[in-house]
Amino acid sequence: MILKYRCMKCGICCYEVEKNELGYRKRIPLYPEEVDELIELAKKYEIEFKVIEDLVFPDIINKNILVLTFKIFLDNPKACCPFYDQEEGCTIHEKKPLACKAYPLALKRIDSFNMELSIDPLCNFVSKNYNELKNISLNKIKEIFEIEYPNVERFYRKNKNLILKIRQLEFEKKIKIAREISLDDFNKALKEWDRIEIRVK
Ligand code: SF4
Ligand code: SF4
């Protein structure tokens, strides 16, 4: 029988996962425009919703922190996404972030500027079918994750476009990213510099 991805609606992916021995920490990345949309939805549903900055670059020409992505801050007792409901599951299914639409396909960050496609082993479906999914070809991934694959492609393109935009701004000498900055200086910049959100389509 051909394996096809079917979400088991266990909700594991909507919870924070503690750091394991590989240093993995689960997070739900959001683009600035997704944050705007989720803030509106949270107001509508009277849900407490907080985000923190995720991928940021310090621009040493203008002394700004460039914010490319945020992540949902899971500071509730259950450490789960505020849009998750025990009975219903995701309550914003149509409007959930691109990262959730692509899941369990994900982008593993190699460094600040590069990433690669991965399948999240923490997903219940993935762990149950691990033997079939390990070392799988790209064509098989497309077959098994028919709906999620186009979303992870959009997710990848969007991340690439963000990085290209940063590189373009650097090329035009409008910004300069501090690539070698001490942790102390970086933390000082995080405290003192203004934020500029970087948005792409
Ligand atoms: S938006 Fe929905 S799918 Fe995404 S983490 Fe929240 S509850 Fe889960
Ligand atoms: S962990 Fe996997 S199977 Fe469970 S709800 Fe999330 S996507 Fe579905």
Side-chain angles (χ1 to χ4, degrees):
M1 204 174 76
I2 301 166
L3 183 66
K4 282 277 175 200
Y5 169 66
R6 281 193 61 190
C7 176
M8 297 156 76
K9 305 208 182 305
C10 61
I12 286 175
C13 53
C14 305
Y15 284 77
E16 184 73 6
V17 173
E18 289 304 320
K19 214 177 206 177
N20 64 16
E21 64 283 1
L22 300 171
Y24 184 85
R25 195 174 173 88
K26 194 168 180 58
R27 59 193 190 188
I28 303 155
L30 302 174
Y31 301 108
E33 59 276 17
E34 289 181 323
V35 172
D36 294 344
E37 195 172 10
L38 292 183
I39 287 172
E40 288 309 311
L41 283 173
K43 272 190 211 153
K44 188 171 150 194
Y45 298 136
E46 297 180 354
I47 286 172
E48 193 177 349
F49 173 68
K50 290 186 201 163
V51 294
I52 48 175
E53 291 160 355
D54 185 16
L55 182 60
V56 298
F57 290 119
D59 163 21
I60 50 177
I61 290 186
N62 306 293
K63 296 203 183 318
N64 284 326
I65 297 292
L66 309 178
V67 185
L68 280 68
T69 59
F70 295 83
K71 58 185 170 182
I72 300 179
F73 191 38
L74 308 177
D75 71 338
N76 52 60
K78 289 186 180 153
C80 78
C81 172
F83 294 105
Y84 181 74
D85 177 89
Q86 293 270 335
E87 307 292 320
E88 276 183 62
C90 179
T91 55
I92 53 164
H93 197 63
E94 295 305 315
K95 303 215 161 164
K96 64 188 179 184
L98 197 46
C100 299
K101 287 182 179 153
Y103 194 83
L105 301 183
L107 297 177
K108 194 163 107 194
R109 198 158 280 290
I110 302 166
D111 56 41
S112 298
F113 290 91
N114 295 291
M115 69 220 112
E116 63 185 17
L117 174 66
S118 72
I119 307 175
D120 192 342
L122 295 172
C123 165
N124 224 347
F125 171 88
V126 176
S127 63
K128 283 200 163 45
N129 296 286
Y130 185 74
N131 284 337
E132 278 184 77
L133 292 171
K134 71 176 177 194
N135 304 326
I136 193 174
S137 70
L138 187 60
N139 281 341
K140 277 274 170 212
I141 291 178
K142 288 181 190 175
E143 253 175 63
I144 296 169
F145 300 96
E146 224 177 337
I147 295 172
E148 293 68 29
Y149 187 79
N151 288 326
V152 86
E153 271 195 324
R154 283 171 59 212
F155 191 22
Y156 182 83
R157 272 199 304 274
K158 185 128 181 155
N159 279 287
K160 275 280 169 207
N161 287 343
L162 278 170
I163 297 302
L164 282 175
K165 184 157 179 178
I166 292 289
R167 289 201 155 135
Q168 179 68 30
L169 290 169
E170 271 201 307
F171 178 74
E172 292 167 1
K173 301 200 185 320
K174 291 181 177 158
I175 61 166
K176 185 167 172 50
I177 303 300
R179 284 179 172 71
E180 287 173 21
I181 185 169
S182 71
L183 192 57
D184 282 351
D185 286 346
F186 186 49
N187 284 334
K188 194 164 179 280
L190 283 177
K191 270 194 206 137
E192 294 174 3
W193 293 0
D194 287 339
R195 269 41 182 179
I196 301 286
E197 289 174 0
I198 303 293
R199 294 175 183 237
V200 292
K201 286 198 177 154

